Amino acid sequence: NLKPSYSTPIVFNGWQAQLVANGLQSPRGILFDSKGNLLVVQQGVGIIHLAFDDGGSTCLDVSKKTNLITSSNLNHGIALSADGKTLYASGSNSVYSWSYDASAVTVSDTNQTLVTGMSNDDHTTRTLLMSSKEPGMLIVSRGSNSNIDLEAEDINTGHSQIKVFDISNLTTTAQPYDFKSNGRLLGWGLRNSVGVAEEPLTGGIYSVENSVDEIDRDGVDIHQNNPGEELNYHGFLNSSAEDQGGNYGYPYCFALWNTSIPELGTMKVGSQFALTQNATINDTFCNNDRVAPRLTFFAHMAPLDIKFLPNGTEAFVTFHGSWQALPFQTPYLSSTNESRDRSDPVGYKLSTVAFAAGSPVAASDSMTAAVDIMANADNSNCPDQCFRPVGLALDSKDRVFMSSDSTGEIYVLAK
């Protein structure tokens, strides 16, 4: 019967929510192991193991908390091998692995570095996803080095890219992969795609992208409601290269959300637009030569995770929320994942997106594709007095577990 210190969140559409763990230190990525216990990355601290007394539905209590890994390097990403015996986690520069025993709740004394060469000053989390369709294929997402990182224009920098690495090829004595020069490119021009998921029916790879802050178009400030956040598609991890390896626009092209912009022309929600028009970079180039999102979400909501129901009918998305600068502060300040330029707070919620046959049900220009299932009672209290959702994990009963980093909490939702 834990209660939050802020106003009780609101749930919709038949969902129930309950706070089941608190007092954690910036919980980010979460994942269930083969024994049904929850592994939690605490940013800058390490990984803990939570066992629950389960009374059904949302009636759970933490029965035991175990410090599994202590490491200030770990900050977000977590994954397990198909057999559940290898644990993967990430820091800002590298991806590591440990042998893991879910029964004994222990890891090996030493770890192996699998991927390295990803150091950034900004957007320092490295999301991990181990494929279920193609075992041994580990997806790694790396964001930009600043709000508008012009180095991301060069594919060889490795900035703002999602890649996949065949971990099964690495022996215990092998040299780690270099992110810039190794791996298979799933997409680039992706400013900060923190959430990555594999659609369970087809195996298609989707990501949710945090777009830029503080923009204007042809000298007109449009930053309050543009650009939109993105749901992007990256093809499959089999031998097919269809819909894969393309440039998604950043740092020059962005997805339109609010159509009240100068020189709109025929563009609509989800169209790619440029901030200025010149002979090289312009709206025509952005729409013809860059990959448009499958869906676009309200600007600055900062999506940080995406997880599918096993039947592929829904994808859950966490929206970490916008950030409002104080009068004496500059709008874009530091190296975290959230947007920093929205006067009226938006996001701070968990939503769901309908899918069918491996694709979103809504049209690409829809403004209602994301349906809220849990939100804060009053966003005007955010970010200080509200939950800020980050990581998601589904258990064997399809209950949705969600971390909130700013409040140090884990919630469970069930229908």
Side-chain angles (χ1 to χ4, degrees), residues 325-385:
L326 297 174
F328 57 86
Q329 294 175 320
T330 53
Y332 192 84
L333 293 175
S334 65
S335 56
T336 54
N337 289 311
E338 69 268 19
S339 300
R340 296 188 172 268
D341 61 357
R342 175 77 189 171
S343 297
D344 296 324
V346 292
Y348 309 97
K349 61 186 179 181
L350 174 62
S351 302
T352 183
V353 176
F355 270 71
S359 297
V361 172
S364 61
D365 61 348
S366 173
M367 300 184 80
T368 58
V371 178
D372 298 346
I373 62 174
M374 179 176 171
N376 283 282
D378 184 357
N379 272 4
S380 67
N381 294 324
C382 299
D384 297 327
Q385 294 297 317

Side-chain angles (χ1 to χ4, degrees), residues 2 14 33 58-59 75 128 135 162 170 173 175 185 196 217 258 262 273 290 292 295 317 322 324 396-397 412:
L2 296 177
D33 68 10
T58 60
C59 185
N75 63 12
L128 306 179
I162 299 176
L170 289 180
T173 59
Q175 290 295 309
L185 184 66
V196 183
R217 177 174 162 92
N258 186 298
F273 70 94
R290 295 295 180 255
L295 290 175
V317 180
S322 59
Q324 183 178 4
S396 59
K397 300 176 182 178
V412 62

Side-chain angles (χ1 to χ4, degrees), residues 170-194:
L170 289 180
T171 65
T172 56
T173 59
Q175 290 295 309
Y177 288 116
D178 177 72
F179 186 87
K180 289 188 293 185
S181 57
N182 301 137
R184 176 176 162 189
L185 184 66
L186 299 185
W188 60 302
L190 296 156
R191 179 179 177 268
N192 193 28
S193 296
V194 186

Side-chain angles (χ1 to χ4, degrees), residues 143-358:
S144 65
N145 199 40
S146 60
N147 182 33
I148 297 182
D149 178 6
L150 297 182
E151 290 185 59
E153 181 187 11
D154 181 356
I155 196 172
N156 296 311
T157 64
H159 291 195
S160 303
Q161 297 181 9
I162 299 176
K163 286 189 168 184
V164 61
F165 299 87
D166 188 351
I167 301 302
S168 65
N169 285 338
L170 289 180
T171 65
T172 56
T173 59
Q175 290 295 309
Y177 288 116
D178 177 72
F179 186 87
K180 289 188 293 185
S181 57
N182 301 137
R184 176 176 162 189
L185 184 66
L186 299 185
W188 60 302
L190 296 156
R191 179 179 177 268
N192 193 28
S193 296
V194 186
V196 183
E198 185 176 52
E199 196 279 325
L201 301 184
T202 66
I205 304 300
Y206 286 88
S207 70
V208 284
E209 180 183 2
N210 293 251
S211 198
V212 299
D213 307 315
E214 292 299 304
I215 63 168
D216 59 55
R217 177 174 162 92
D218 295 330
V220 177
D221 183 355
I222 63 169
H223 83 272
Q224 289 285 343
N225 297 308
N226 278 299
E229 314 287 44
E230 301 182 17
L231 173 73
N232 289 306
Y233 177 65
H234 309 291
F236 307 98
L237 298 185
N238 56 23
S239 58
S240 171
E242 183 180 357
D243 296 314
Q244 198 165 94
N247 187 299
Y248 290 74
Y250 179 84
Y252 296 119
C253 304
F254 309 97
L256 185 64
W257 175 254
N258 186 298
T259 56
S260 297
I261 64 169
E263 303 297 329
L264 176 64
T266 61
M267 291 190 296
K268 57 185 180 180
V269 171
S271 295
Q272 295 267 45
F273 70 94
L275 302 184
T276 59
Q277 308 297 308
N278 59 52
T280 305
I281 307 297
N282 51 60
D283 295 340
T284 300
F285 165 81
C286 289
N287 280 285
N288 293 343
D289 290 66
R290 295 295 180 255
V291 182
R294 289 297 177 95
L295 290 175
T296 305
F297 305 120
F298 200 106
H300 312 307
M301 292 203 299
L304 293 193
D305 204 358
I306 175 172
K307 290 290 189 296
F308 284 91
L309 277 178
N311 64 10
T313 60
E314 288 184 275
F316 301 95
V317 180
T318 54
F319 291 103
H320 198 229
S322 59
W323 189 90
Q324 183 178 4
L326 297 174
F328 57 86
Q329 294 175 320
T330 53
Y332 192 84
L333 293 175
S334 65
S335 56
T336 54
N337 289 311
E338 69 268 19
S339 300
R340 296 188 172 268
D341 61 357
R342 175 77 189 171
S343 297
D344 296 324
V346 292
Y348 309 97
K349 61 186 179 181
L350 174 62
S351 302
T352 183
V353 176
F355 270 71

Side-chain angles (χ1 to χ4, degrees), residues 133-149:
K133 297 289 187 181
E134 301 290 333
M137 302 298 283
L138 182 68
I139 295 174
V140 183
S141 177
R142 179 188 184 187
S144 65
N145 199 40
S146 60
N147 182 33
I148 297 182
D149 178 6

